Amino acid sequence: MKCALTGHRVLEKNFSLTALEEKLTEIIESGAGTFYCGMALGFDLACLGILASLKRERPLRLVACVPCADQSARYPYEMRRLYEELLEECDEKIVLHEHYEEGCMFERNRRMVDECDLVFAYLYAKRGGTYYTVRYAEKKGKRIIFY
């Protein structure tokens, strides 16, 4: 089973990496073996960090779905370094555009949903890319699990 990850870039104060790992482990145990990550700051990279660690013990496949090759260019140095390290952990890298283009983030989100059976979402606000992605997944009849 394939799972797309989507979530807000800003994590709420009560966000727990321990709870996130438990939820991802449940998803894996329910049959998910491939995870598509949009490589954004916040939820995406938090999930990918945990999945990269779990991959050492389980046969997981990690797919980076990158909207543009220069996605991390404006990330703070530490986040850019983390991004590059986690990108190396991925088994496949799908790069949609060489440079940022209007709408490329939404294109990435639709691509991930279209490729997957399940969407794991961290949604606390009815706005932005995560909200758009969850609504798109609903329209496509995809199963959605919320953090």
Side-chain angles (χ1 to χ4, degrees):
M1 180 173 21
K2 297 177 185 177
C3 177
L5 307 167
T6 187
H8 296 294
R9 288 182 174 86
V10 177
L11 305 177
E12 293 179 304
K13 289 181 181 177
N14 65 347
F15 187 88
S16 164
L17 289 175
T18 302
L20 179 61
E21 183 172 353
E22 290 170 4
K23 208 65 169 154
L24 286 167
T25 300
E26 286 174 23
I27 291 169
I28 292 165
E29 289 173 355
S30 75
T34 300
F35 290 85
Y36 282 71
C37 180
M39 302 301 293
L41 294 175
F43 186 73
D44 287 7
L45 294 186
C47 285
L48 189 56
I50 290 169
L51 290 166
S53 179
L54 292 174
K55 185 180 171 191
R56 293 176 181 87
E57 306 161 7
R58 300 167 184 262
L60 299 177
R61 180 169 163 67
L62 306 178
V63 180
C65 196
V66 181
C68 52
D70 55 357
Q71 177 181 15
S72 67
R74 294 189 178 161
Y75 289 2
Y77 173 76
E78 286 300 316
M79 290 292 102
R80 194 168 53 245
R81 202 173 87 192
L82 175 64
Y83 174 96
E84 295 298 332
E85 288 172 9
L86 292 174
L87 191 60
E88 287 301 313
E89 296 285 338
C90 292
D91 301 290
E92 182 181 352
K93 297 160 192 76
I94 299 168
V95 180
L96 300 179
H97 299 279
E98 190 61 33
H99 300 287
Y100 176 83
E101 293 183 20
E102 187 174 338
C104 69
M105 305 294 182
F106 293 117
E107 179 183 350
R108 176 223 26 222
N109 297 344
R110 289 188 303 271
R111 170 89 179 254
M112 291 193 315
V113 169
D114 291 342
E115 293 282 336
C116 294
D117 310 293
L118 165 70
V119 174
F120 179 45
Y122 173 57
L123 177 67
Y124 59 77
K126 291 185 175 184
R127 59 178 162 70
T130 300
Y131 181 60
Y132 170 89
T133 305
V134 167
R135 287 185 48 227
Y136 181 77
E138 289 171 343
K139 288 176 189 170
K140 290 290 188 172
K142 303 290 178 161
R143 182 173 163 224
I144 303 168
I145 295 175
F146 292 95
Y147 166 86

